[in-house]
Amino acid sequence: MAESTTTEQPTSGADQRLAKGARSRASIARHAADVASIEGLTGLSIGRLATDLGISKSGIATLFGTKEALQVAAVKVARQAFVERVIAPSLTEPRGLPRLRALMGRWFDHITDPTFPGGCFRVATIAEFDSKPGPVRDAIAEDHSEWLDFLVKQIRHAQEAGDLTGRDVDAMAFELDAVISAANTAQQMGDDRGVAIARTIVNRLLG
């Protein structure tokens, strides 16, 4: 029994350290996403986050290594937040037009009652990195591409059920994405009429 206890203790301690490191990394990445939603991913700095969170710069550097890795981590956190708030709850709706409407409604909620202080993270970062090649842009582009593919899939399901027939699914996914992205800009500018117009357009597209 003594030998078994002795051999298990280092593993347990290592697991605890790994878990603590994962929690710290997640907390820092979430704060990075909050900051980036307002000031942009380019505005992130290890020093700024260290000051905000009351931890050392070396501690953040140890967890992420580079500013670029921190930016990518923020993109992943924002992606997961979007999945949890918009996509996952909508999957409980029946496949087809009901699910598509739920997705659009929850995306509007994500914009008008934002998960991040600066509004929709995806919309802001696409505009910031669309012409800046590198791993950060690649992460943003992959997320956006997968979201459009997901929308296309949901539109096809609706067509299979007899709704939205005769529509170009790729064009419709692009239109929905563009209109609600514009709604995010309107929301951030305090343009309630612009948000209302966007809702009307989306309802028309799904009519």
Side-chain angles (χ1 to χ4, degrees):
M1 289 292 293
E3 288 182 3
S4 175
T5 302
T6 302
T7 56
E8 288 177 3
Q9 284 178 343
T11 302
S12 177
D15 288 345
Q16 289 176 1
R17 287 192 296 274
L18 287 172
K20 182 179 179 181
R23 288 194 297 271
S24 297
R25 183 180 173 87
S27 176
I28 294 166
R30 172 63 200 222
H31 186 66
D34 285 339
V35 172
S37 73
I38 299 172
E39 301 180 10
L41 284 165
T42 306
L44 282 180
S45 74
I46 290 176
R48 159 71 186 274
L49 295 182
T51 299
D52 287 352
L53 298 172
I55 57 181
S56 67
K57 289 192 290 185
S58 62
I60 296 178
T62 297
L63 288 170
F64 293 95
T66 65
K67 174 179 175 177
E68 191 173 72
L70 180 61
Q71 291 171 321
V72 171
V75 172
K76 291 179 178 179
V77 164
R79 173 193 175 99
Q80 185 59 35
F82 187 85
V83 169
E84 291 175 357
R85 182 161 185 195
V86 177
I87 295 178
S90 300
L91 295 179
T92 63
E93 300 294 333
R95 178 187 288 187
L97 194 55
R99 183 178 297 175
L100 191 57
R101 284 177 172 152
L103 281 166
M104 296 301 100
R106 287 189 170 92
W107 195 7
F108 270 113
D109 291 343
H110 180 66
I111 286 170
T112 57
D113 180 22
T115 302
F116 296 98
C120 183
F121 185 95
R122 174 183 285 115
V123 175
T125 53
I126 286 175
E128 182 184 6
F129 272 83
D130 58 1
S131 59
K132 299 178 182 177
V136 181
R137 181 184 184 277
D138 291 345
I140 294 168
E142 180 182 9
D143 175 53
H144 188 236
S145 177
E146 289 182 359
W147 166 240
L148 288 176
D149 289 344
F150 181 75
L151 278 182
V152 165
K153 184 177 179 180
Q154 303 313 309
I155 295 166
R156 286 201 174 109
H157 287 327
Q159 290 184 335
E160 290 165 3
D163 296 308
L164 308 178
T165 56
R167 308 287 289 276
D168 183 314
V169 294
D170 293 303
M172 187 172 182
F174 185 89
E175 288 171 326
L176 290 170
D177 180 71
V179 171
I180 302 187
S181 295
N184 178 74
T185 300
Q187 175 72 23
Q188 293 305 303
M189 295 297 291
D191 180 6
D192 293 339
R193 182 170 180 271
V195 176
I197 290 171
R199 287 186 187 274
T200 299
I201 294 171
V202 168
N203 288 336
R204 188 184 305 143
L205 286 169
L206 298 180

